Amino acid sequence: MRRVVEIALFTDDPDGLTAFYERLLEAEPAERWPGGATFHLDGLKLLVHVSGPGNRDHFAIGVDDVDAAAEQLRAHGVDLKGPEDYDWGRSAYFEDPDGRLVELHRPT
């Protein structure tokens, strides 16, 4: 079954946004580094990260086979970037009909 596994938020103030979500979620980040943090929320990861070129807020859908899922979407006319291997796993990206960025993701 496919499910949302990550929400990624990019910001010019990662410390401030992390502090906001600490208060909102009443939880400390599972990881923290200069420029970002992650919260683990019952199987969903909330990523807060410093903005950079090409970074956009998005959510990730976990799939067992990114290539097969991407091929299914392409067969339905969806324009995807990737799949490609990254430090965090294998991913492909596309926009929904309203222009929101969506990631297909399989962790390493």
Side-chain angles (χ1 to χ4, degrees):
M1 182 173 107
R2 297 177 182 182
R3 64 185 180 91
V4 176
V5 294
E6 179 185 80
I7 298 171
L9 304 175
F10 294 89
T11 178
D12 292 332
D13 182 11
D15 293 334
L17 193 58
T18 297
F20 171 82
Y21 281 104
E22 282 180 291
R23 290 187 303 274
L24 178 69
L25 300 169
E26 297 180 340
E28 293 285 319
E31 296 98 21
R32 186 187 306 252
W33 61 92
T38 57
F39 296 86
H40 294 186
L41 309 167
D42 296 325
L44 175 71
K45 179 168 68 171
L46 175 63
L47 168 70
V48 175
H49 200 282
V50 66
S51 293
N55 290 344
R56 287 176 50 195
D57 292 353
H58 66 275
F59 68 93
I61 297 172
V63 296
D64 293 328
D65 186 337
V66 174
D67 295 86
E71 199 55 43
Q72 281 182 327
L73 288 171
R74 281 194 178 101
H76 287 57
V78 176
D79 183 31
L80 287 94
K81 177 184 177 274
E84 294 183 35
D85 291 318
Y86 298 92
D87 292 341
W88 58 86
R90 189 156 181 80
S91 295
Y93 294 88
F94 63 97
E95 292 181 350
D96 75 8
D98 284 341
R100 282 178 286 274
L101 188 63
V102 181
E103 175 185 2
L104 297 176
H105 174 72
R106 180 185 48 78
T108 52

